[in-house]
Amino acid sequence: MRLLVSPINTEEAKAAMAGGADILDVKNPKEGSLGANFPWVIRSVAGVAGGKMPVSATIGDFDYKPGTASLAALGAAFSGADYIKVGLLKIKTREQAGDMLGNIVRSVKEFDAEKKLVAAAYSDCSRVGSISPMDLPEVAAECGADVVMVDTAIKDGKSTFEFMTESEIAEFISAGQDLGMEVAIAGTIKFEDLELLKRVSPDIIGVRGAVCGGDRSGQIKEELVRRMKADLS
C-alpha cells in the first residue's frame, strides 16, 4: 500500500517527503474535500518532488459540468500533476458520471497519455445526494480512468468507515482492481483505521488530517507521516 499525503504548499510537501510519503497530492481544503489549488502551487510542489515521486492534484468536487471539469483537468496536467483527481460530488447517475469522466479522460490523455485520471466518489453519498461508490468502478473503467477512489464529502470528523462496512470497502477495492485500475481509500482516515486497511489492502491510502495532528486545517508534520508509513508496513 502506498501512502498519499495531501500538502497545500511546498513546505508541507517537503515534510511529507521527509516522512516517507509515496505520492504528493496537492489540494486546497478551503475549497472542499477535493478542493483545487492554484497552478503555480502544483508547479512548485512538482519542482520539490523533482521526479522522485508522483504528484497528484485535485481539481474540485464537481457537479455536472463536463466542460469545466475537462478544462480544470487539463490545467492540472499542464501544471505538472502526474495524477489528476476529480470528485463526482453532485453527479447523480451513471450516465452523468460517464459523460464527466469520458471527457475528462480525453482532455488529459490527448495532452499526455502517461498522465493518470483518478475518479473519486464519496462514502457519505447519502448525505450529499451523489452517485454511490459501488457504481463507480464499472463506469470509470469504461471511460479509461486509471484509479478509483472513495473519500468523504463532508469533513466533520466522520470517516469513510462510518458510512461503508469493511465488506463494502473490500468489494469496492476488488471491483476496481478486477477491472484493471488502482484503488485508493481516503476520508478522515485515523491511525486506528490502519489495521482494517491492511486487511482490505487498497493500492493507495490518502490522508491529510491524521498527519496534521487530527485537524486537516493544521500543518503536515514529518514525524506523523513517518509514523503512519511505519504503521502501514
Side-chain angles (χ1 to χ4, degrees):
M1 289 183 289
R2 287 177 293 160
L3 179 62
L4 176 150
V5 178
S6 298
I8 63 172
N9 53 39
T10 53
E11 182 180 359
E12 288 194 339
K14 290 174 183 177
M17 288 181 71
D22 299 299
I23 303 171
L24 298 176
D25 177 53
V26 185
K27 69 167 52 172
N28 178 9
K30 291 179 180 179
E31 293 197 5
S33 176
L34 301 178
N37 214 315
F38 299 99
W40 48 90
V41 176
I42 299 172
R43 284 197 299 270
S44 65
V45 171
V48 167
K52 296 176 183 177
M53 65 177 61
V55 172
S56 167
T58 57
I59 65 169
D61 304 283
F62 271 89
D63 56 6
Y64 184 50
K65 292 182 178 177
T68 303
S70 294
L71 281 170
L74 179 58
F78 182 79
S79 299
D82 303 296
Y83 290 82
I84 294 87
K85 185 192 302 179
V86 60
L88 304 180
L89 179 62
K90 294 184 180 179
I91 305 305
K92 300 182 183 300
T93 67
R94 291 168 63 103
E95 291 72 26
Q96 288 183 343
D99 192 24
M100 284 282 290
L101 294 176
N103 284 293
I104 295 169
V105 168
R106 177 179 177 180
S107 71
V108 169
K109 300 289 187 178
E110 284 187 352
F111 171 70
D112 185 343
E114 298 301 313
K115 303 284 187 183
K116 296 186 177 182
L117 194 284
V118 183
Y122 302 90
S123 56
D124 55 343
C125 58
S126 61
R127 296 202 289 178
V128 293
S130 63
I131 188 172
S132 167
M134 309 313 288
D135 290 330
L136 182 62
E138 185 176 353
V139 176
E142 290 173 353
C143 293
D146 303 282
V147 184
V148 286
M149 177 180 177
V150 65
D151 203 336
T152 47
I154 300 172
K155 298 298 183 180
D156 59 358
K158 293 184 178 180
S159 77
T160 283
F161 310 108
E162 295 180 64
F163 300 100
M164 296 176 70
T165 65
E166 181 173 340
S167 62
E168 287 173 333
I169 293 168
E171 182 182 347
F172 177 79
I173 293 168
S174 294
Q177 291 174 339
D178 289 348
L179 289 166
M181 296 177 292
E182 292 186 296
V183 181
I185 301 296
T188 318
I189 289 174
K190 304 176 179 67
F191 279 92
E192 53 264 35
D193 299 319
L194 298 185
E195 287 304 316
L196 184 156
L197 286 164
K198 287 181 185 180
R199 291 196 297 270
V200 296
S201 193
D203 300 288
I204 300 166
I205 294 168
V207 298
R208 175 170 173 83
V211 296
C212 291
D215 181 0
R216 72 193 299 260
S217 65
Q219 187 164 340
I220 290 172
K221 297 175 173 59
E222 175 187 337
E223 62 273 18
L224 291 177
V225 177
R226 184 176 293 110
R227 176 187 161 195
M228 180 160 283
K229 183 69 174 176
D231 287 356
L232 284 172
S233 62

